[in-house]
Amino acid sequence: MIQQLWVVITALLVALLIPSLAHAAKPYGVVTVDLRPEIGEVPTHLCVVSQGQGPRTRQRLSELFLPHAGTELAQVNDLVLDPATWGSGSDERPCEAGGACLPRVELPQANVLADDLWVACTSDSLVADRSTRDPRVLVMMLEHLEGSPPLLESLKLTGGVATIGVQADLSRIVVTARSLGGHYDAHTRAFRAEEGSDHSELVALPLAPRCHGVEVELPGVRLRESDRARLQLRAHGVDLDVHTCIGPLQGSARMHVELPRAEGFGRLEVELPPIAGETPTATRFAASWDTAWPEGELRLDPHQLAFIWAPPACVWAIGTCPTATLEGGLSCEATPLADGTCQYLCPAGGDPNDAHDDEWVDVSPPVAVSFQKTDPDQRWNEILQRPGQVLSSYVDGDHIYLGAALDGWSRDVPGSRISHVELLENDGSSRRYAVADVDALRILAPGASCDPLRYRLVGDRRYQEGAAEIRDGAVDFGKVHETARLLTFNVTLAQGGGIAIMYADAPDELGRQVYFTALGQLAANFRPRDPRYARVAYELRLGGTLGQWGYFGPGSIGEPKRQLAAKLAWARLLFEPAVIVDVIPPLSFSLGVGVGGSWPINNGDVTNTGRFNWIISPSLDARVALRRWVSLVVQGRVMLREQTSVAVDIAGSDPVFGLFSNASLIGLYGLQFSF
């Protein structure tokens, strides 16, 4: 009985101890992998791949990839991790950067399929927030340098240190690790353990992120979420998605951008096209670096900057802009704004037909801006100190030119022709511009501003000083005909002579009466300002003649042809309204009718001529303007109602006189002086 009891006890002990002894005999080691990214944060998720299925590696590697049969990814033979690997939904869009930022995996050997590999995944135990924001997944291959593939029993990731339990005698086996990809570049070589003991080894694994978030500053710009849709980014020539590769835009000059790794030379280009009604400071920015990543914050330099040119008031035409060129010959694109200023983008861009539109040139301020205008050609320069600056320089004040349109002027009306316009300076000097046969003037106006210009017209008439407004870079003379003087004066001096023809039963034997006459008149001339009526003028003349008058005495009675007994000094006074019509320059005609009287100058001659006669004197003259102030006058005049005294008989010793009416036909020539 006792013997049987010992047999049972022995059997139970063997049953209990043999598994424990077998387990104790199984080799076990711990591999510690120090994950050392060259920049940025350590991985948040780790997937360890082995060629052998073990207690921990129970999932095939192929189960981690996106199903992309028939897609572009399959055509390029890329294996991309499914977002479910780090707990994200399939509808979440990562920053792809043309595929450079996608979590791709490269198989360790060309003849090995993903279905032949086993994987175990875990997340960082120190990450309190286990959301899917900013995931960083590393797919790592663990291998034995000699021996069968490692069998993973445990896996833990803590703050960038991976602790992996393997079924292996680490005292006789060298463990290697390498990256197969994910959010980090795949290694082309494996890394051995640097130190260890019989049961543990330490591997330092350098990591190169495929993409890294960089703080980017755009000088002079404030970025808001409303600007996201028009932002355009290119990193190393690859377009970046503004919705997935850019962080929140919070109204500052900085933004967080996911940049792909640069191979030898990196470059980031940012474009912010202006929108209607916006006054931009810069629209293109760029920066370059010669390492994998920029060092620290990346400040971009302007490559297309904007500025405003505020023209001088009144002397520049609103809605037009001078051409602008940056130093180096970079042309600028000008846009007139509603407030009269000009907005420039330099260098000019946006033309799809321009083969050089994609060329980006650094235009960091300070930079010299050269402006140029035409009609006449003028240049001036100013230094742009910062993007968005308002420039206001213009040509030197002594070289300001203004335009003037003359299409509303009536310059060819006979008698009211306008030949020049004279600009008057405060120092008494003047500049004269011919206006005949031109439709516009280019006027030099030194020191011009919004103050009116003083001017005076020059032509057939006399003009008062006028004031011309300056608006939109042009001189507006207004209604120039209103500066014409309505009333002028002239003096006519003429000489000539004529004959007196008697009528009303005058004796036939009377001889011809020929007299010398000198005319002098002062006239007030009124000419309408309206060009439609300005070729007709009206005059009121006051003056008269000095000349001769005669009589037939008794001594010639009985002669077959009686002659005048004497020629006496004779005066006439006339008040004469007249009308003048300018026919063709410089000829005009005048028609007047004078009324007045005539008498002998010497009172002793009254007995032979009579004391006073009321007369009517119509006249017609032709005037040829020699200068504006002097004209040649040829006049024909008739004197009516004058009488000649004739001795018709002798009664006793006293002669008997009769008075006979006559008409004098007088021709005169002389000069007329206007003032």
Side-chain angles (χ1 to χ4, degrees):
M1 186 66 181
I2 295 175
Q3 185 177 1
Q4 292 177 347
L5 181 60
W6 279 106
V7 171
V8 172
I9 293 173
T10 302
L12 289 174
L13 290 173
V14 170
L16 292 173
L17 292 175
I18 287 177
S20 299
L21 292 173
H23 185 271
K26 185 186 301 183
Y28 181 80
V30 176
V31 178
T32 302
V33 183
D34 186 4
L35 305 177
R36 299 177 179 179
E38 64 182 10
I39 193 170
E41 301 294 332
V42 296
T44 59
H45 297 75
L46 175 65
C47 292
V48 180
V49 178
S50 175
Q51 289 182 312
Q53 182 180 14
R56 188 69 172 82
T57 51
R58 298 183 296 269
Q59 186 179 13
R60 295 185 184 275
L61 179 61
S62 59
E63 298 177 17
L64 301 184
F65 301 139
L66 286 172
H68 49 262
T71 66
E72 182 181 356
L73 290 175
Q75 296 174 12
V76 298
N77 198 26
D78 274 346
L79 301 175
V80 180
L81 292 177
D82 191 328
T85 304
W86 57 86
S88 177
S90 59
D91 57 345
E92 183 173 326
R93 295 174 54 199
C95 175
E96 298 185 3
C101 293
L102 289 176
R104 299 191 309 273
V105 174
E106 297 181 9
L107 297 179
Q109 298 175 12
N111 57 351
V112 175
L113 300 178
D115 285 338
D116 299 333
L117 300 174
W118 301 87
V119 65
C121 295
T122 188
S123 61
D124 193 338
S125 61
L126 296 182
V127 177
D129 183 3
R130 297 181 180 273
S131 66
T132 59
R133 292 179 300 176
D134 193 21
R136 298 178 297 278
V137 181
L138 171 64
V139 179
M140 183 182 70
M141 181 78 176
L142 194 67
E143 297 175 294
H144 289 164
L145 190 59
E146 297 176 354
S148 59
L151 301 179
L152 275 65
E153 287 197 353
S154 63
L155 176 62
K156 185 177 182 181
L157 178 63
T158 306
V161 177
T163 305
I164 307 170
V166 296
Q167 293 181 11
D169 184 359
L170 298 182
S171 63
R172 296 184 301 170
I173 297 176
V174 177
V175 177
T176 63
R178 58 171 166 156
S179 170
L180 296 183
H183 289 99
Y184 300 86
D185 282 347
H187 289 146
T188 58
R189 57 177 289 263
F191 293 84
R192 293 188 179 191
E194 295 180 350
E195 57 183 67
S197 63
D198 291 344
H199 302 289
S200 65
E201 289 190 358
L202 174 64
V203 180
L205 189 65
L207 299 177
R210 296 185 186 276
C211 289
H212 172 60
V214 176
E215 289 296 320
V216 176
E217 180 182 358
L218 277 62
V221 174
R222 295 293 179 265
L223 295 172
R224 302 173 296 273
E225 280 298 330
S226 58
D227 299 322
R228 185 181 295 272
R230 59 190 177 109
L231 270 173
Q232 301 174 20
L233 282 80
R234 285 182 296 277
H236 327 315
V238 176
D239 291 335
L240 301 183
D241 189 340
V242 296
H243 299 286
T244 59
C245 298
I246 301 178
L249 303 178
Q250 300 176 339
S252 70
R254 293 176 174 82
M255 61 180 176
H256 186 84
V257 180
E258 285 291 322
L259 292 179
R261 180 185 182 86
E263 299 297 335
F265 179 83
R267 181 175 176 83
L268 175 64
E269 297 175 349
V270 178
E271 189 165 0
L272 186 65
I275 58 177
E278 181 188 33
T279 304
T281 57
T283 60
R284 285 182 177 179
F285 305 85
S288 301
W289 57 92
D290 56 3
T291 56
W293 310 100
E295 297 181 2
E297 183 178 279
L298 183 61
R299 179 180 175 86
L300 304 187
D301 296 321
H303 279 240
Q304 186 181 55
L305 51 78
F307 63 89
I308 299 294
W309 180 69
C314 301
V315 301
W316 184 265
I318 299 299
T320 64
C321 299
T323 59
T325 306
L326 299 186
E327 59 184 60
L330 299 176
S331 61
C332 301
E333 178 183 352
T335 302
L337 301 181
D339 61 357
T341 60
C342 294
Q343 175 181 289
Y344 290 87
L345 288 179
C346 307
D351 185 0
N353 298 319
D354 187 356
H356 301 286
D357 187 44
D358 292 334
E359 296 182 1
W360 288 42
V361 182
D362 187 1
V363 289
S364 299
V367 61
V369 182
S370 176
F371 294 94
Q372 182 178 8
K373 65 178 288 290
T374 57
D375 195 26
D377 291 334
Q378 290 181 299
R379 292 178 179 269
W380 65 96
N381 300 310
E382 189 169 357
I383 300 299
L384 181 66
Q385 300 289 350
R386 63 185 183 279
Q389 182 179 350
V390 178
L391 304 182
S392 58
S393 64
Y394 192 46
V395 297
D396 185 74
D398 292 335
H399 299 90
I400 295 178
Y401 283 87
L402 303 173
L406 307 180
D407 49 1
W409 290 26
S410 298
R411 290 162 284 173
D412 299 322
V413 177
S416 293
R417 292 177 304 161
I418 303 173
S419 61
H420 296 81
V421 60
E422 197 172 45
L423 298 181
L424 309 176
E425 299 292 342
N426 293 330
D427 59 1
S429 62
S430 64
R431 293 183 309 280
R432 181 174 289 193
Y433 297 88
V435 299
D437 301 324
V438 295
D439 295 326
L441 293 178
R442 188 172 66 197
I443 296 173
L444 176 62
S449 61
C450 292
D451 296 332
L453 291 181
R454 297 166 53 219
Y455 76 93
R456 182 181 290 115
L457 300 181
V458 178
D460 293 340
R461 304 178 63 170
R462 281 177 167 77
Y463 294 88
Q464 299 172 340
E465 181 179 311
E469 298 292 332
I470 302 177
R471 289 192 296 266
D472 288 348
V475 178
D476 183 7
F477 288 98
K479 298 179 179 180
V480 293
H481 60 271
E482 293 185 355
T483 65
R485 286 176 55 181
L486 284 173
L487 187 64
T488 60
F489 298 91
N490 60 68
V491 173
T492 302
L493 300 176
Q495 67 176 3
I499 61 174
I501 302 175
M502 288 188 293
Y503 55 90
D505 300 328
D508 294 335
E509 67 273 15
L510 298 179
R512 186 173 60 177
Q513 304 177 65
V514 179
Y515 303 114
F516 167 79
T517 303
L519 173 73
Q521 283 185 318
L522 173 65
N525 182 290
F526 172 82
R527 187 181 292 271
R529 288 173 173 163
D530 192 328
R532 295 173 296 177
Y533 314 112
R535 70 186 305 164
V536 178
Y538 307 92
E539 281 186 350
L540 292 178
R541 305 168 182 168
L542 180 62
T545 66
L546 292 176
Q548 299 171 324
W549 197 252
Y551 67 95
F552 293 90
S556 61
I557 295 176
E559 295 181 359
K561 199 66 174 178
R562 300 180 62 180
Q563 301 297 324
L564 291 172
K567 291 184 178 181
L568 310 175
W570 192 255
R572 299 183 182 95
L573 178 65
L574 295 172
F575 175 76
E576 182 177 14
V579 60
I580 301 98
V581 178
D582 287 88
V583 183
I584 56 172
L587 178 63
S588 62
F589 291 100
S590 170
L591 176 64
V593 177
V595 294
S598 61
W599 64 91
I601 295 176
N602 189 347
N603 288 333
D605 296 330
V606 171
T607 57
N608 297 319
T609 60
R611 181 174 295 278
F612 185 83
N613 296 296
W614 287 102
I615 61 174
I616 299 174
S617 178
S619 66
L620 175 66
D621 59 46
R623 304 177 183 180
V624 178
L626 304 178
R627 294 287 188 273
R628 184 183 63 176
W629 54 274
V630 61
S631 298
L632 176 65
V633 178
V634 177
Q635 185 180 92
R637 181 175 290 276
V638 178
M639 297 290 183
L640 301 176
R641 299 193 76 252
E642 287 186 313
Q643 294 179 327
T644 300
S645 178
V646 179
V648 295
D649 198 3
I650 297 176
S653 59
D654 296 325
V656 177
F657 286 89
L659 295 175
F660 297 92
S661 298
N662 55 49
S664 298
L665 303 179
I666 302 173
L668 301 165
Y669 66 93
L671 297 175
Q672 184 179 84
F673 301 93
S674 300
F675 57 94

